[in-house]
């Protein structure tokens, strides 16, 4: 900790980050401290504008990289002109200017801070006096003049001081009160301002700033002889005797390698560079691990460690989790009851018992007690599952209790494979957000499986795996001989069966679900990531949205 | 914000084989080539501007670049008034090999 503070004191601030500070403190914190930086379209459009301006005025265009340790600033001045013996810094903006009550063009507050900061920087480094700075807004083609006076200089010094203090602190600032600022903010999908407002005010109806869907494709390679190669900006998948398949890297979200397909080092580099996760699944359907370069900033993880070393916090989150999964399990059983003409007293009995157990969750005083409740809930749930299978289902595909390592019947083989895939997706979501998968709040650290991923998985077991398995069996989509390989007491999916399951599972993940709290629809793929982000909010002062995904 | 994606038709005319090659490689990372020097890409505004920035860095004054944004209705009409398979669409966002 001391090291970061010392570093923050000596290192100068970029003028652009000072501008971010003036725009929104939280944006500054996310960029400077948590090192999250996503470029939105205006960043590139702005860069292009600068490049074009440079071409137009090649003669008198100069860029100055300036730094002043005394002032604590560094930055690059867009353009500098000499007018009547005075240096005038220019700043070019692609957008439009702010209009005051008389419809006169004015500089936006953050732009004003920025140009004043450039002026101060020039004054300190060159030892001259700058009378004014100018901002040209290209959208409405006006130039706004910002006088540099003592009040302006003081504003810059104060802002630098405040920004430095914020940089040294461990507290993430609250969401800014001006909602309009969030609409154009490039970090909105990470910061989730609307969801944060909902956490503070349940009456708030959030705008959806979280992208609806990640359209990048998930590539499953199930053929053992396949080779995944890089060719320029593409991934190429070569399978013996077949023409190579080309995939533009921008359209790939994950590469999932089942069995022992090969991937070349250049392809791994490309994926790591483009934030494409590579995941390995064993031939038995177990999640092995990931190559993932998306390291979160250490600040996020420190906060995670601080929160999850608090036993009360862990217990509270675990209660939410057990409740979420148990409720969903019970609702699923109730659905089975709903569709039948004949009464099922046994199933009814199970769901009433589950209800009684669920009401005791809030009284559980320790994780052990909670585990006991969860165990009982799971036992009841699995004893109720056989009732959800239709009469047409053959005896071999029926369910007689959960077993694993190895699964001993086709139903369990499907469940196990499904949970392996789900673990992979939850891991992908955790790594995308930048949390530490090995540090959870409910599951105990054991070998292989990362506890936080196991924790989060609980929420999605019922909707993403159990329902898919039950639905596909009821629809008679499985053929015993083609889809499974049976070795005495071990049953697993054949290559054909595996492909079929991946298809069903991925199709399910593409379906949308209306989030019960935020009230907007997202695909399950996005919900996985949203849930991780909402979990992080639990320990950042915006609690109350995690673990609400309960089946209706 | 809610980043929506749109289809773009990207056409270029490049006077120098070296630059042509660079642009071609860059575009291959974003979408499929439909015809010589015509690509189609499905991009968010952010990706579009990033691509444009990357291409502008390569291109010179004498080259030309045309980016045409297509709305969903445009895409339907492209499909309607051309040979089948001119604008192949995939409904899923996953692939199994």
């Amino acid at each position: 900790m001391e090291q970061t503070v010392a570093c923050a004191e000596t290192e100068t601030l970029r003028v652009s980050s000072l501008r971010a500070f003036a725009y929104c403190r939280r944006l500054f914190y996310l960029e400077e401290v948590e090192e999250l930086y996503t470029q939105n379209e205006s960043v590139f459009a702005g860069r292009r504008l600068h490049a074009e301006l440079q071409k137009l005025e090649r003669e008198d265009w100069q860029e100055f990289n300036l730094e002043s340790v005394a002032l604590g600033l560094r930055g690059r001045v867009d353009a500098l002109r000499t007018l009547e013996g005075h240096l005038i810094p220019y700043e070019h903006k692609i957008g439009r200017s702010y209009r005051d009550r008389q419809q006169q063009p004015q500089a936006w507050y953050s732009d004003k801070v920025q140009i004043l900061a450039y002026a101060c920087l020039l004054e300190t480094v060159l030892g001259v006096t700058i009378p004014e700075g100018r901002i040209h807004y290209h959208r409405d083609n006006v130039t706004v003049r910002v006088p540099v006076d003592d009040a302006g200089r003081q504003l810059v010094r104060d802002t630098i001081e405040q920004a430095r203090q914020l940089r040294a602190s461990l507290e993430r600032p609250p969401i800014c009160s001006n909602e309009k600022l969030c609409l154009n903010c490039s970090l909105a999908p990470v910061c989730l301002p609307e969801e944060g407002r909902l956490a503070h005010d349940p009456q708030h109806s959030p705008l959806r700033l979280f992208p609806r869907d990640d359209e990048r494709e998930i590539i499953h390679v199930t053929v053992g002889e396949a080779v995944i190669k890089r060719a320029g900006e593409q991934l190429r998948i070569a399978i013996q005797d077949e023409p190579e398949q080309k995939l533009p890297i921008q359209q790939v979200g994950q590469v999932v390698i089942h069995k022992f397909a090969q991937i070349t080092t250049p392809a791994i580099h490309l994926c790591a560079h483009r934030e494409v996760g590579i995941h390995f699944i064993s031939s038995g359907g177990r999640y092995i691990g990931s190559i993932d370069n998306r390291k979160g900033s250490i600040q996020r993880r420190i906060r995670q460690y601080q929160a999850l070393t608090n036993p009360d916090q862990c217990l509270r989150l675990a209660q939410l989790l057990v409740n979420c999964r148990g409720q969903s399990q019970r609702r699923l059983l109730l659905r089975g009851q709903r569709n039948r003409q004949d009464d099922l007293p046994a199933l009814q009995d199970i769901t009433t018992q589950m209800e009684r157990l669920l009401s005791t969750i809030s009284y559980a005083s320790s994780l052990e007690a909670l585990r006991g409740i969860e165990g009982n809930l799971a036992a009841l749930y699995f004893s109720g599952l056989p009732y959800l299978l239709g009469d047409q289902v053959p005896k071999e595909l029926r369910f007689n209790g959960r077993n694993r390592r190895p699964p001993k019947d086709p139903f369990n083989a499907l469940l196990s494979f499904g949970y392996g895939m789900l673990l992979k997706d939850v891991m992908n979501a955790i790594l995308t957000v930048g949390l530490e998968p090995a540090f959870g709040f409910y599951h105990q650290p054991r070998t292989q499986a990362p506890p936080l991923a196991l924790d989060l998985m609980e929420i999605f077991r019922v909707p993403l795996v159990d329902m898919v398995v039950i639905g596909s069996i009821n629809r008679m989509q499985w053929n015993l001989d083609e889809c499974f390989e049976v070795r005495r007491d071990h049953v697993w999916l054949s290559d054909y069966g595996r492909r079929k399951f991946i298809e069903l599972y991925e199709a399910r993940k593409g379906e949308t679900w209306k989030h019960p709290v935020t009230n907007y629809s997202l695909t399950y793929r996005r919900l996985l990531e949203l849930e991780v982000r909402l979990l992080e909010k639990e320990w950042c002062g915006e609690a109350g949205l995690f673990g609400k995904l309960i089946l209706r | 914000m809610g980043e929506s994606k749109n289809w773009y038709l990207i056409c270029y005319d490049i006077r120098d084989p070296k630059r042509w090659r660079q642009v071609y490689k860059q575009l291959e990372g974003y979408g499929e080539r439909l015809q010589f020097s015509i690509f189609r890409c499905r991009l968010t505004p952010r990706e579009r501007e990033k691509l444009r920035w990357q291409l502008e860095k390569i291109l010179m004054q004498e080259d030309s670049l045309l980016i045409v944004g297509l709305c969903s209705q445009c895409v339907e009409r492209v499909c309607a008034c051309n040979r089948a398979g001119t604008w192949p669409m995939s409904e899923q966002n996953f692939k199994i090999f």
Side-chain angles (χ1 to χ4, degrees):
Chain A
M1 213 52 5
E2 278 171 339
Q3 202 187 351
T4 35
V5 174
C7 176
E9 271 171 10
T10 52
E11 204 182 298
T12 52
L13 277 169
R14 283 179 295 120
V15 173
S16 55
S17 74
L18 202 66
R19 179 180 179 275
F21 182 83
Y23 189 82
C24 165
R25 293 182 178 210
R26 183 141 150 152
L27 172 68
F28 169 84
Y29 193 83
L30 290 174
E31 283 188 354
E32 279 294 301
V33 183
E34 304 200 12
E35 291 164 3
L36 295 167
Y37 186 60
T38 55
Q39 296 147 320
N40 65 3
E41 65 263 33
S42 43
V43 174
F44 291 105
R47 273 195 212 164
R48 207 156 42 78
L49 172 72
H50 285 157
E52 276 166 17
L53 287 170
Q54 273 181 46
K55 274 184 210 158
L56 278 178
E57 322 171 24
R58 193 164 296 151
E59 307 80 45
D60 59 347
W61 186 276
Q62 272 175 302
E63 275 181 353
F64 294 97
N65 278 310
L66 299 172
E67 177 160 16
S68 162
V69 178
L71 189 64
L73 272 185
R74 67 173 189 280
R76 199 173 65 185
V77 184
D78 266 359
L80 215 47
R81 297 248 173 86
T82 313
L83 290 177
E84 294 158 11
H86 287 295
L87 273 178
I88 312 273
Y90 271 75
E91 178 66 26
H92 291 273
K93 294 285 171 200
I94 202 153
R96 64 176 90 246
S97 64
Y98 167 71
R99 298 282 169 158
D100 62 10
R101 290 236 173 79
Q102 285 82 42
Q103 290 301 310
Q104 290 306 301
Q106 298 288 337
W108 295 97
Y109 175 70
S110 52
D111 294 341
K112 189 175 143 195
V113 170
Q114 187 183 20
I115 195 78
L116 285 170
Y118 279 132
C120 289
L121 188 56
L122 283 164
E123 284 184 336
T124 325
V125 175
L126 303 178
V128 293
T129 309
I130 310 272
E132 66 172 48
R134 293 185 186 178
I135 308 172
H136 190 82
Y137 289 96
H138 284 253
R139 181 77 59 81
D140 44 4
N141 197 23
V142 293
T143 303
V144 176
R145 302 163 73 153
V146 181
V148 181
D149 48 16
D150 284 337
R153 293 184 188 105
Q154 190 57 44
L155 176 67
V156 172
R157 278 194 293 274
D158 290 348
T159 314
I160 293 170
E161 184 50 39
Q162 288 163 9
R164 285 188 144 180
Q165 277 174 11
L166 181 58
R167 189 168 60 175
S169 103
L170 276 177
E171 291 280 311
R172 186 191 285 177
I175 296 156
C176 76
S177 49
N178 185 352
E179 297 173 18
K180 283 183 188 154
L181 293 181
C182 299
L183 291 176
N184 293 318
C185 175
S186 59
L187 280 181
V190 176
C191 167
L192 294 183
E194 286 290 295
E195 288 75 4
R197 287 184 191 112
L198 178 68
H200 292 303
D201 170 18
Q203 301 304 315
H204 184 83
S205 64
L207 279 166
R208 190 173 53 79
L209 296 179
F210 194 66
R212 188 193 309 272
D213 194 11
D214 179 4
E215 283 193 16
R216 298 193 300 171
E217 288 175 323
I218 298 181
I219 308 299
H220 289 271
V221 182
T222 61
V223 186
E225 300 84 49
V227 184
I228 305 164
K229 296 185 282 194
R230 175 188 183 166
E233 293 290 299
Q234 289 184 320
L235 285 183
R236 297 205 177 184
I237 299 182
I239 301 168
Q240 279 178 343
D241 307 328
E242 279 178 44
E244 268 189 350
Q245 301 263 357
K246 301 172 189 172
L247 301 165
I249 190 70
Q250 298 277 353
Q251 292 178 11
V252 179
Q254 289 179 31
V255 178
V256 187
I257 300 176
H258 299 257
K259 306 214 285 190
F260 295 105
Q262 294 179 52
I263 180 163
T264 64
T265 310
I268 295 174
H269 276 260
L270 183 65
C271 288
H273 187 229
R274 295 301 154 84
E275 307 199 324
V276 176
I278 306 172
H279 306 283
F280 298 94
I281 306 274
S282 80
S283 48
R286 222 154 40 83
Y287 169 74
I288 302 294
S290 308
I291 297 178
D292 204 303
N293 196 28
R294 292 171 285 186
K295 295 183 269 337
S297 120
I298 188 63
Q299 296 285 349
R300 300 196 139 198
R301 296 195 171 195
I302 290 174
R303 264 202 303 271
Q304 182 191 357
Y305 299 146
Q306 279 174 343
L308 298 187
T309 38
N310 174 355
D312 295 338
Q313 176 81 280
C314 285
L315 183 65
R316 188 180 68 81
L317 292 174
Q319 281 170 338
L320 284 173
L321 198 68
V322 173
N323 181 54
C324 177
R325 184 186 176 193
Q327 295 279 8
S328 289
Q329 288 175 329
R330 182 170 166 271
R331 299 276 168 89
L332 182 63
L333 294 184
L334 285 175
R335 277 189 188 189
Q337 233 166 354
R338 209 186 301 153
N339 302 332
R340 295 177 78 115
Q341 270 80 41
D342 51 333
D343 256 5
L344 281 174
L347 196 56
Q348 226 153 33
D349 187 39
I350 290 170
T351 48
T352 358
Q353 281 189 55
M354 285 180 89
E355 197 180 1
R356 210 172 305 133
L357 269 173
L358 283 166
S359 64
T360 63
I361 288 176
S362 51
Y363 301 112
S365 55
S366 68
L367 286 180
E368 284 71 34
L370 209 53
R371 255 177 229 117
I373 297 174
E374 193 218 349
N376 289 338
L377 276 172
L380 281 168
Y381 169 67
F382 283 122
S383 70
L385 266 194
Y387 296 104
L388 299 185
L389 298 177
D391 301 328
Q392 76 280 17
V393 176
K395 160 168 122 291
E396 293 80 6
L397 282 170
R398 293 200 159 268
F399 180 67
N400 300 305
R402 177 93 177 106
N403 56 59
R404 59 210 180 108
R405 292 197 209 128
K408 294 182 180 61
D409 54 73
F411 196 105
N412 276 297
L414 289 171
L415 280 184
S416 290
F417 186 74
Y419 292 148
M421 299 284 289
L422 179 58
L423 182 59
K424 182 265 301 173
D425 278 322
V426 172
M427 274 298 280
N428 191 63
I430 292 174
L431 293 168
T432 305
V433 176
L435 295 184
E436 166 63 67
F439 198 48
F441 49 87
Y442 181 50
H443 287 85
Q444 291 307 296
R446 266 189 303 127
T447 47
Q448 289 178 353
L452 188 66
L454 290 176
D455 289 350
L456 279 160
M457 225 175 110
E458 299 292 351
I459 296 173
F460 294 96
R461 276 181 203 259
V462 174
L464 282 183
V465 181
D466 299 359
M467 286 174 70
V468 170
V469 171
I470 291 167
S472 61
I473 287 184
N474 276 338
R475 270 178 265 118
M476 305 290 278
Q477 284 178 302
W478 301 99
N479 179 322
L480 268 181
D481 304 326
E482 273 182 337
C483 302
F484 299 97
E485 279 174 30
V486 184
R487 296 265 186 289
R488 263 202 294 179
D489 62 341
H490 186 180
V491 180
W492 65 83
L493 287 158
S494 67
D495 282 0
Y496 176 72
R498 185 180 297 125
R499 292 176 70 122
K500 200 184 230 177
F501 191 93
I502 295 168
E503 228 162 281
L504 287 168
Y505 172 78
E506 289 291 354
R508 175 71 179 156
K509 258 170 58 198
E511 286 175 22
T512 53
W513 192 12
K514 191 168 172 184
H515 194 287
V517 185
T518 59
N519 261 327
Y520 49 66
S521 299
L522 290 173
T523 60
Y524 282 97
R525 254 181 101 171
R526 295 301 288 169
L527 278 171
L528 282 162
E529 189 188 324
L530 180 67
E531 200 62 17
V532 182
R533 295 202 186 276
L534 293 181
L535 171 67
E536 204 214 354
K537 280 186 175 287
E538 290 290 321
W539 54 74
C540 295
E542 284 152 18
L545 300 175
F546 171 70
K548 304 285 186 205
L549 286 174
I550 294 167
L551 219 61
R552 263 183 285 262
Chain B
M1 191 177 64
E3 290 189 290
S4 56
K5 285 198 170 190
N6 278 310
W7 283 107
Y8 292 91
L9 202 62
I10 299 175
C11 321
Y12 53 79
D13 204 347
I14 296 168
R15 308 298 162 91
D16 171 63
K18 193 177 166 193
R19 294 199 299 272
W20 176 85
R21 187 84 210 140
Q22 285 175 321
V23 165
Y24 181 84
K25 272 198 166 178
Q26 200 62 256
L27 277 166
E28 272 194 321
Y30 282 88
E32 299 104 276
R33 193 177 63 82
L34 288 180
Q35 296 171 14
F36 290 114
S37 68
I38 299 181
F39 275 80
R40 65 159 201 180
C41 305
R42 193 161 163 76
L43 307 170
T44 62
R46 183 188 305 228
E47 287 166 341
R48 181 195 68 214
E49 287 308 321
K50 185 176 181 188
L51 174 64
R52 196 205 295 270
W53 165 245
Q54 287 173 336
L55 295 182
E56 293 286 357
K57 275 201 298 190
I58 303 168
L59 294 175
M60 304 290 283
Q61 203 58 50
E62 56 178 2
D63 304 326
S64 54
L65 174 72
L66 177 66
I67 300 180
V68 187
L70 300 174
C71 63
S72 51
Q73 231 185 342
C74 300
V75 171
E76 277 170 29
R77 283 169 62 185
V78 168
C79 297
C81 52
N82 278 297
R83 281 191 222 156
T86 310
W87 197 276
M89 293 284 266
S90 106
E91 294 297 313
Q92 311 160 327
N93 51 8
F94 62 93
K95 275 201 181 107
I96 305 173
F97 292 98

